[in-house]
């Protein structure tokens, strides 16, 4: 018989929470300067940006970040995951 185990916040920590495309999320995780620039615009630590990329968070889709994404060759359509 299976016991029901209640999920904790730790279980949801790695869950996908947003619509950021996988390609952009991987670039954020791989390129130190890119994630650092995003963190500077958002006024958060770089680790928060990397964690957001892991979750593909919508916080990384803010309008203030568009100039940074354009600098690295992404347009608005590239940011969202294709359904």
């Amino acid at each position: 018989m299976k016991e029901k185990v209640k999920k904790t916040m730790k279980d949801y920590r790695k869950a996908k929470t947003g619509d950021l495309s996988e390609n952009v999320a991987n670039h954020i995780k791989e390129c130190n300067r890119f994630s650092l620039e995003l963190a500077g615009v958002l006024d958060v630590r770089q680790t928060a940006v990397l964690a957001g990329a892991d979750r593909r968070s919508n916080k990384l889709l803010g309008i203030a970040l568009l100039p940074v994404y354009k600098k690295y060759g992404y347009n608005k359509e590239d940011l969202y995951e294709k359904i």
Side-chain angles (χ1 to χ4, degrees):
M1 181 190 310
K2 265 188 170 177
E3 290 185 38
K4 290 187 178 182
V5 178
K6 187 175 181 180
K7 288 192 173 189
T8 62
M9 289 305 292
K10 187 176 180 180
D11 296 325
Y12 295 106
R13 195 171 291 155
K14 297 281 184 178
K16 179 180 171 265
T17 61
D19 299 324
L20 184 68
S21 74
E22 187 174 357
N23 185 26
V24 176
N26 287 337
H27 187 219
I28 291 170
K29 291 187 275 186
E30 292 169 0
C31 182
N32 188 44
R33 185 162 307 275
F34 186 36
S35 61
L36 193 59
E37 284 187 44
L38 292 173
V41 171
L42 289 173
D43 197 26
V44 296
R45 292 179 189 241
Q46 186 177 14
T47 55
V49 171
L50 295 173
D54 280 336
R55 293 187 320 272
R56 293 163 60 187
S57 174
N58 283 340
K59 290 180 182 178
L60 296 175
L61 295 173
I63 197 77
L65 298 174
L66 277 178
V68 178
Y69 287 125
K70 286 186 180 185
K71 179 180 173 184
Y72 283 86
Y74 293 107
N75 58 24
K76 196 172 181 178
E77 292 78 32
D78 295 334
L79 300 178
Y80 293 92
E81 183 169 0
K82 311 280 189 288
I83 297 174

